[in-house]
Amino acid sequence: QVQLVESGGGLVQAGESLRLSCAASGQTFSTSTAAWFRQAPGKEREFVAGIKWSPSSTYYANSVKGRFTISRDNAKNTVYLQMDSLKPEDTAVYYCAAATSGRLSTDTTWYDSWGQGTQVTVSS
């Protein structure tokens, strides 16, 4: 299995930036897709961004398109989420997820490994 640990969350003001990191360990060689999800209080967990390698591709939720960028560093077994122009509605717990399958999916059930989440709070 793959263990995922998110970091980089915090409290920022609207318009500021934040970069989240997802460090993977364990059976990382079996992972071909990673994604970021977020969950606000009382809301369902929603897809934010995904990345696939071999070949490389990315996909973003419309709500964050143009503001967020997902990337990876295989040498460090880390996936990043660069969040720019943050808005109060971005406030949520952000989760990193990984899947063995080499296709992107916005469905939480597609992913078999999850981190514990990191809180992102954007004040107005």
Side-chain angles (χ1 to χ4, degrees), residues 1 13-14 17 27 41 44 51 53 62 79 81 85 94 103 105 115 119 121:
Q1 75 278 32
Q13 295 181 326
S17 298
Q27 305 282 72
E44 295 293 322
I51 185 168
W53 42 99
N62 289 334
V79 176
L81 184 67
S85 302
Y94 283 71
R103 73 175 294 271
S105 176
Q119 177 71 47
T121 302

Side-chain angles (χ1 to χ4, degrees), residues 19 22 24 51 53 70-80:
R19 189 181 76 163
C22 174
I51 185 168
W53 42 99
I70 187 171
S71 62
R72 63 182 174 87
D73 186 337
N74 283 348
K76 298 179 179 179
N77 288 324
T78 302
V79 176
Y80 304 96

Side-chain angles (χ1 to χ4, degrees), residues 42-104:
K43 302 289 185 64
E44 295 293 322
R45 190 168 299 187
E46 66 172 350
F47 175 84
V48 176
I51 185 168
K52 182 178 77 72
W53 42 99
S54 300
S56 178
S57 64
T58 58
Y59 181 73
Y60 299 91
N62 289 334
S63 59
V64 306
K65 194 173 300 182
R67 298 188 298 120
F68 290 10
T69 303
I70 187 171
S71 62
R72 63 182 174 87
D73 186 337
N74 283 348
K76 298 179 179 179
N77 288 324
T78 302
V79 176
Y80 304 96
L81 184 67
Q82 177 66 42
M83 305 184 293
D84 297 323
S85 302
L86 283 163
K87 305 175 181 180
E89 49 262 47
D90 294 319
T91 296
V93 176
Y94 283 71
Y95 298 90
C96 181
T100 302
S101 179
R103 73 175 294 271
L104 293 172

